[in-house]
Amino acid sequence: MNLTIHNTFLPADNPEASLAFWRDTMGFEVRLDVGYGDMRWITVGPPGQPQTSIVLHPPAVDPGLTDDEKRTIAELMAKGSYASIVLSTPNVDETFEQVQKNGADVVQEPIDQPYGLRDCAFRDPAGNMVRINQQA
């Protein structure tokens, strides 16, 4: 089998703030921006990797969700424990400095982990955990 990760989805309750973070802070390019009523799906991805994208989507819009489930999703997002993504970079310290200077919400400064990785972590405007690992 030959599989490639094409899209992953992260909830975005404030599309403009999420777009600014992923485009301006993380340096991703906008690939698609689709609106439907008052909802918006924005596809972004790293330059030079057209096969891999993140879709920033409105949270809890599935018509099968109950009001209680929608409230739970909103509560988890507010705590920053609903969704996450792990990215990699050749130099985590350099990437951390760049992302931090753009005002991102720092969760963890770069550190050598006991399992062999050096990484750091931020939250995007929707509370999604963004971990960045240094490539081995």
Side-chain angles (χ1 to χ4, degrees), residues 27-89:
F28 282 22
E29 57 191 20
V30 177
R31 307 234 169 103
L32 199 57
D33 191 338
V34 177
Y36 180 76
D38 61 350
M39 296 179 287
R40 199 164 158 201
W41 288 258
I42 304 168
T43 304
V44 297
Q49 296 180 42
Q51 73 281 10
T52 305
S53 298
I54 298 170
V55 179
L56 306 170
H57 67 92
V61 296
D62 184 327
L65 293 174
T66 67
D67 288 341
D68 284 341
E69 291 168 330
K70 291 176 183 181
R71 273 191 297 280
T72 299
I73 290 170
E75 290 168 3
L76 290 170
M77 286 180 65
K79 291 168 117 177
S81 58
Y82 184 65
S84 64
I85 189 166
V86 179
L87 307 173
S88 67
T89 183

